[in-house]
Amino acid sequence: MPAQPGTADAALKLEEFLPYRLNVCANIVSTALSRIYAEHYSIGVPEWRVLVTLGQFGMMTAKAIGIHSHMHKTKVSRAVAMLERRKLVVRRANRDDLREAFLSLTPAGRDIYSDLAPSALEFARQLMETVEPADRAALGRALNKLIEHAAQIASDIAKGGKPG
Amino acid sequence: MPAQPGTADAALKLEEFLPYRLNVCANIVSTALSRIYAEHYSIGVPEWRVLVTLGQFGMMTAKAIGIHSHMHKTKVSRAVAMLERRKLVVRRANRDDLREAFLSLTPAGRDIYSDLAPSALEFARQLMETVEPADRAALGRALNKLIEHAAQIASDIAKGGKPG
DNA sequence: ACAAATTAGTTGCCATTGAAACCATGGTCA
DNA sequence: TGACCATGGTTTCAATGGCAACTAATTTGT
């Protein structure tokens, strides 16, 4: 018997635990969204992010895409490779630094982007509409703070935890 | 050239896009948290969830754990298998239905739980403290609404999208 | 100018994960 | 009772993703 499952220390309840709730929320939302575009274009989340990032900025390096979209460089590399194979993205050498290359959407890529962006915005709009109007700004602020704080903690631990 | 990267349709900006922000937030928070316990106990998120769920309820089936913790049954199965190997969880047959089994923490498992739960709560508390006091309740409500709505959409699409 | 360190990007490898198939048991209903 | 369906749980398989090693190009320090 678990004694009293949780009396000792203010009771940890999974369903009220913020990190857990954030994960569940992000997963469900992300799944719902990707169901919408995965069927149409047969792309996954990383490809979608690359497409959207290039649609937003027009031309940039893989590294910059990774930073902007919070993706590991291997993820970016593979997503770009597949978009390139599908002729949705082109790579242009940077004559001033041959390690990197400038990436941009092809006309075909832009077509998909301009088809995909409005429905993404619409999805987000509908999602936001379910949140009480008075709570919307608070949600935005809260996410900012949480991201900022957690990133701080994670990097602190990364430094302190593995000395040498 | 990308014309104007986003003038046509209210501009999709990844860094302001709610599903994206939720994902980034959930990942960073989750990483920060797991850094804390992964080093101490060498367990991953699924094992942590099983442990916490059993700590909360004392005794339940794998299926119930999956429902409560939003995990796929294979994930639960594997997490339980590893916790069993480490003698942190025991399996007791249900004589009334031999398909399922009742799982619960061993004393060793409970020791870890009662060590781990307070630090998880402390982590969540610190996290929540970074959010403006006035925004905290709003965050909770918003997450509820988002989860509810997105789950609805996802299941609608699942049904409508794949008829037959 | 050149060796050493750094950086952009790719690839090989391995762990994690979900879908689907599978096994064993239990329920249904004719 | 016995043929069917449903359910809890495990296993197999393929895809995904991150780490670390690698290549090629650039920067730094002397």
Side-chain angles (χ1 to χ4, degrees):
Chain A
M1 203 196 305
Q4 249 81 294
T7 320
D9 33 78
L12 172 59
K13 292 184 190 161
L14 192 59
E15 73 276 16
E16 294 174 2
F17 188 61
L18 184 59
Y20 167 76
R21 289 184 2 116
L22 284 168
N23 252 303
V24 170
C25 184
N27 282 335
I28 294 183
V29 166
S30 192
T31 301
L33 173 61
S34 75
R35 285 251 170 89
I36 291 172
Y37 61 74
E39 289 187 358
H40 287 290
Y41 309 109
S42 313
I43 59 175
V45 175
E47 290 78 21
W48 186 91
R49 286 191 184 173
V50 169
L51 224 80
V52 166
T53 303
L54 288 177
Q56 180 177 349
F57 293 104
M59 157 120 68
M60 60 200 311
T61 66
K63 163 148 219 188
I65 294 175
I67 292 171
H68 182 72
S69 64
H70 264 265
M71 291 198 293
H72 194 269
K73 62 180 180 174
T74 59
K75 226 178 188 174
V76 175
S77 174
R78 294 193 256 244
V80 166
M82 108 90 116
L83 292 173
E84 225 184 336
R85 275 195 301 277
R86 293 216 203 161
K87 314 276 191 218
L88 302 177
V89 160
V90 278
R91 183 187 304 257
R92 178 187 320 234
N94 175 10
R95 306 190 92 253
D96 292 345
D97 185 343
L98 295 177
R99 288 171 305 181
E100 65 185 16
F102 294 124
L103 303 164
S104 54
L105 296 179
T106 62
R110 181 156 314 279
D111 284 352
I112 289 186
Y113 172 74
S114 55
D115 188 30
L116 167 156
S119 51
L121 283 167
E122 172 62 13
F123 177 86
R125 198 188 56 73
Q126 279 183 24
L127 204 57
M128 204 43 137
E129 246 171 29
T130 68
V131 175
E132 307 272 343
D135 293 349
R136 287 173 199 164
L139 173 61
R141 280 193 300 271
L143 288 178
N144 281 338
K145 292 294 183 71
L146 292 175
I147 290 172
E148 189 185 343
H149 180 73
Q152 183 61 49
I153 290 179
S155 82
D156 282 359
I157 293 176
K159 277 169 197 143
K162 297 255 176 191
Chain B
M1 204 197 307
Q4 250 82 293
T7 320
D9 33 77
L12 172 57
K13 293 184 190 161
L14 190 59
E15 72 275 16
E16 293 173 5
F17 188 61
L18 184 59
Y20 167 75
R21 293 188 355 118
L22 285 169
N23 252 302
V24 170
C25 185
N27 281 335
I28 294 184
V29 166
S30 195
T31 301
L33 173 61
S34 75
R35 286 251 167 90
I36 291 173
Y37 61 74
E39 289 187 358
H40 285 289
Y41 308 112
S42 313
I43 60 176
V45 175
E47 291 78 21
W48 186 89
R49 285 191 185 172
V50 169
L51 223 78
V52 166
T53 303
L54 288 177
Q56 181 176 346
F57 293 104
M59 159 117 71
M60 61 200 310
T61 67
K63 161 147 221 186
I65 293 175
I67 291 170
H68 182 70
S69 63
H70 263 265
M71 290 197 293
H72 194 270
K73 62 180 180 172
T74 59
K75 226 176 187 175
V76 175
S77 174
R78 295 193 259 243
V80 166
M82 107 90 116
L83 292 172
E84 224 184 336
R85 274 195 302 277
R86 293 216 204 160
K87 314 278 192 215
L88 302 177
V89 160
V90 278
R91 183 187 305 257
R92 177 187 321 234
N94 175 9
R95 305 189 92 251
D96 292 345
D97 186 344
L98 294 177
R99 288 172 305 183
E100 65 184 15
F102 295 124
L103 302 164
S104 54
L105 296 179
T106 61
R110 174 144 314 96
D111 283 352
I112 289 187
Y113 171 74
S114 53
D115 188 30
L116 167 157
S119 50
L121 284 167
E122 172 61 12
F123 177 87
R125 197 187 56 71
Q126 279 183 25
L127 204 57
M128 205 41 138
E129 247 172 27
T130 69
V131 175
E132 307 272 344
D135 293 349
R136 288 174 197 162
L139 173 62
R141 281 193 299 270
L143 288 178
N144 281 340
K145 291 293 183 68
L146 292 175
I147 290 171
E148 189 184 343
H149 180 71
Q152 184 60 49
I153 290 179
S155 84
D156 282 358
I157 293 177
K159 277 170 196 142
K162 299 254 175 190

